[in-house]
Amino acid sequence: MRDATAPPETPAWLLRQPVALCPCGCIGKRQKASYLERTLTGGSDLMHQVMFSEDVARLPGVLQRLDPRVKLVGTMLLLVAVGLAHHITTLLAAYALVLGLAWWSRVALAFFIRRVWLFIPIFTAIVVLPAAFSVVNDGDVIVHLWTWNGEPEGLTSQGLFSAALIIMRVAVSVSLAVLLTITTPWGRLLNGLRGLGVPRLIVLTINMSYRYIFLLLEAVGDMYESRKSRQVRAVKHDAAARATVGASIGTLVGKCGHLAEEVHQAMVARGYRGEVHALDATKMAAIDRAAALTSVVLAAAILSGDRLLGG
């Protein structure tokens, strides 16, 4: 299993190249794997590595020792404060705070930063950057790109500020959520939700989805492998192939329904009456109370600092 603290890298299933039957390739070549096959196998392996890896949550860091209810409430307070901030300076300070908490929790900063910035913030930048152009929103053009009817057009200072503000909000918010999930085992996180009064049906649904998504991934992989093993020629992307995909989806839905019924019967047979009991009960300690007070102070400091900058 890949170390969760190591920095991410390009998935091997995207870089893997088909090899020849011999080093010189003179006696033939292996058939190149399809994009669907590489996506299914690589995605399944990646999901197993990411979802089952709890190495960071087992480290003796400061956040790992806290009660999950305290971390949930503290994260929500910080998310609200970040969402109400209107200055990039405030968000940069909040991001520095998150990085400090990650370092204090023994999370590899390179891994943490890449895991956050390679996904949602970049996508957000692609979405909001068009609003920085003067043809979308009026403003003071600071980057002249072209001229239209004698007027300079390009990037405006107001648009760039708004785009940077949204990107930083998303980056800090995603960083807080990622820090919460990688420093808390999944079971304890769900116990914390239940302890905060989240309806047991919602918690149970999330828990069951988490546990059995891997089984469904394995079923999809088995179905694809069984179909591939019965092929004698290259698959054509025609109506028959699309019909096969549709039939496979229908079969998988049927398996899901059958599995859900079997799991429910097994739970009832073992005494399930609607409430899930955890083996490790959560208890509030002195460090948890101190952390709860600290999260309130930090959220208030973010809002107060942002208001002072606005004044």
Side-chain angles (χ1 to χ4, degrees), residues 220-231:
V220 171
D222 291 343
M223 292 169 61
Y224 183 80
E225 289 294 334
S226 62
R227 178 171 178 265
K228 182 181 176 182
S229 64
R230 291 168 174 81
Q231 296 174 356

Side-chain angles (χ1 to χ4, degrees), residues 52-120:
F52 278 124
S53 178
E54 294 185 353
D55 295 339
V56 178
R58 297 191 185 99
L59 295 176
V62 60
L63 291 181
Q64 288 86 336
R65 297 196 298 265
L66 296 180
D67 189 287
R69 294 171 294 181
V70 174
K71 287 191 282 188
L72 285 167
V73 173
T75 301
M76 290 300 300
L77 289 175
L78 293 177
L79 286 174
V80 171
V82 168
L84 295 176
H86 294 86
H87 294 83
I88 296 179
T89 304
T90 305
L91 296 175
L92 289 175
Y95 187 65
L97 171 64
V98 176
L99 292 180
L101 290 175
W103 176 80
W104 207 5
S105 302
R106 301 191 179 186
V107 179
L109 292 183
F111 155 77
F112 181 71
I113 293 173
R114 291 179 184 177
R115 183 168 182 176
V116 171
W117 282 96
L118 287 179
F119 294 98
I120 297 179

Side-chain angles (χ1 to χ4, degrees), residues 50-217:
V50 172
M51 302 295 283
F52 278 124
S53 178
E54 294 185 353
D55 295 339
V56 178
R58 297 191 185 99
L59 295 176
V62 60
L63 291 181
Q64 288 86 336
R65 297 196 298 265
L66 296 180
D67 189 287
R69 294 171 294 181
V70 174
K71 287 191 282 188
L72 285 167
V73 173
T75 301
M76 290 300 300
L77 289 175
L78 293 177
L79 286 174
V80 171
V82 168
L84 295 176
H86 294 86
H87 294 83
I88 296 179
T89 304
T90 305
L91 296 175
L92 289 175
Y95 187 65
L97 171 64
V98 176
L99 292 180
L101 290 175
W103 176 80
W104 207 5
S105 302
R106 301 191 179 186
V107 179
L109 292 183
F111 155 77
F112 181 71
I113 293 173
R114 291 179 184 177
R115 183 168 182 176
V116 171
W117 282 96
L118 287 179
F119 294 98
I120 297 179
I122 292 182
F123 176 77
T124 304
I126 296 174
V127 174
V128 301
L129 276 182
F133 289 91
S134 56
V135 294
V136 179
N137 289 320
D138 294 331
D140 300 326
V141 178
I142 59 175
V143 180
H144 182 215
L145 299 179
W146 71 88
T147 302
W148 181 261
N149 291 332
E151 296 292 334
E153 300 289 347
L155 299 175
T156 64
S157 58
Q158 294 86 347
L160 288 175
F161 176 80
S162 300
L165 184 65
I166 295 175
I167 292 172
M168 282 305 304
R169 278 179 179 171
V170 173
V172 178
S173 300
V174 173
S175 299
L176 286 169
V178 170
L179 187 61
L180 172 66
T181 55
I182 66 176
T183 58
T184 311
W186 185 252
R188 287 179 55 84
L189 187 61
L190 293 180
N191 292 341
L193 289 174
R194 189 70 185 99
L196 292 176
V198 177
R200 61 186 181 186
L201 180 60
I202 296 178
V203 175
L204 181 61
T205 301
I206 297 174
N207 191 17
M208 298 297 290
S209 300
Y210 173 81
R211 291 180 180 274
Y212 287 96
I213 189 174
F214 308 108
L215 186 60
L216 296 179
L217 282 173

